[in-house]
Amino acid sequence: MTHLMTKFRYNPLKPLLESDDPAIIYFTRRDILEERVDPVTKLWNLPPIQKLLIKQLDDGSWPSKGKTKHANVKYSLIETWKALRFLIQQYQMNNTHLAIRKASEYVFSCQTDEGDIRGILANQYAPYYTGVLMYLLILAGYADNPRIEKGFRWLLKMRQNEGAG
């Protein structure tokens, strides 16, 4: 950790540890100070997470916000992507939690027979969105799921000659 602190002009530990956010304190202790901490699942009961989880629909998605301008856009897929970014990236939730399993199944239900995840740009394929959704699903514990492999096969098929997606 000493090497890490040489990268900063000011020591960030004091404000991080004095934060009002229990998650910031938790990850500072665990990841920067390398202290033993409770399992990350303890964070999953925090109010911001509970506030979001209560809005999850029975099919695993989150409802669209505001008006839906384009009939073929799956606004619920967009909202589910946003919720998963928050839950998985910020709080390291994974498929041991029912809400993540349900949301993941919803995302997988948007996967085409070819392997891409469609709906954010209506019925157009979108390698970026397929990749970012697969990234979240992998972080959530679906790395060995055949639907992820199917998505990677599709991404490789769609790759342009110079390697770009």
Side-chain angles (χ1 to χ4, degrees):
M1 193 211 27
T2 305
H3 174 70
L4 176 66
M5 289 301 122
T6 63
K7 304 266 185 214
F8 297 102
R9 177 179 251 171
Y10 302 100
N11 186 336
L13 289 176
K14 188 175 188 312
L16 290 170
L17 292 170
E18 292 176 354
S19 170
D20 291 333
D21 187 335
I24 290 175
I25 296 168
Y26 177 90
F27 290 117
T28 300
R29 291 191 177 288
R30 189 191 77 182
D31 298 340
I32 298 175
L33 296 175
E34 298 177 343
E35 294 179 2
R36 284 184 183 241
V37 293
D38 292 331
V40 73
T41 55
K42 182 178 179 180
L43 296 178
W44 300 353
N45 294 316
L46 290 174
I49 289 177
Q50 296 308 307
K51 183 178 175 183
L52 182 60
L53 292 181
I54 202 156
K55 296 176 185 175
Q56 188 178 28
L57 301 175
D58 289 340
D59 70 354
S61 71
W62 273 264
S64 60
K65 296 179 181 176
K67 294 182 180 180
T68 55
K69 296 178 184 178
H70 304 285
N72 293 327
V73 171
K74 291 184 182 176
Y75 291 96
S76 58
L77 179 58
I78 295 168
E79 293 305 320
T80 302
W81 169 41
K82 290 177 184 178
L84 287 175
R85 284 189 343 219
F86 178 75
L87 298 170
I88 294 169
Q89 288 182 307
Q90 276 191 250
Y91 291 94
Q92 296 184 351
M93 290 182 75
N94 59 48
N95 64 4
T96 62
H97 195 285
L98 178 60
I100 299 300
R101 288 195 306 273
K102 287 173 62 175
S104 298
E105 287 305 318
Y106 172 75
V107 172
F108 281 130
S109 78
C110 298
Q111 188 174 37
T112 66
D113 289 340
E114 292 80 23
D116 64 310
I117 299 169
R118 224 172 263 199
I120 290 179
L121 297 178
N123 201 30
Q124 295 179 42
Y125 67 83
Y128 169 79
Y129 292 115
T130 295
V132 75
L133 284 162
M134 286 175 41
Y135 161 76
L136 290 170
L137 293 168
I138 290 166
L139 286 179
Y142 291 94
D144 295 326
N145 189 291
R147 295 171 289 185
I148 293 294
E149 183 178 334
K150 184 178 185 180
F152 275 121
R153 282 195 308 269
W154 180 83
L155 284 170
L156 288 170
K157 184 177 130 192
M158 297 309 294
R159 182 175 52 185
Q160 296 173 357
N161 288 338
E162 77 281 357

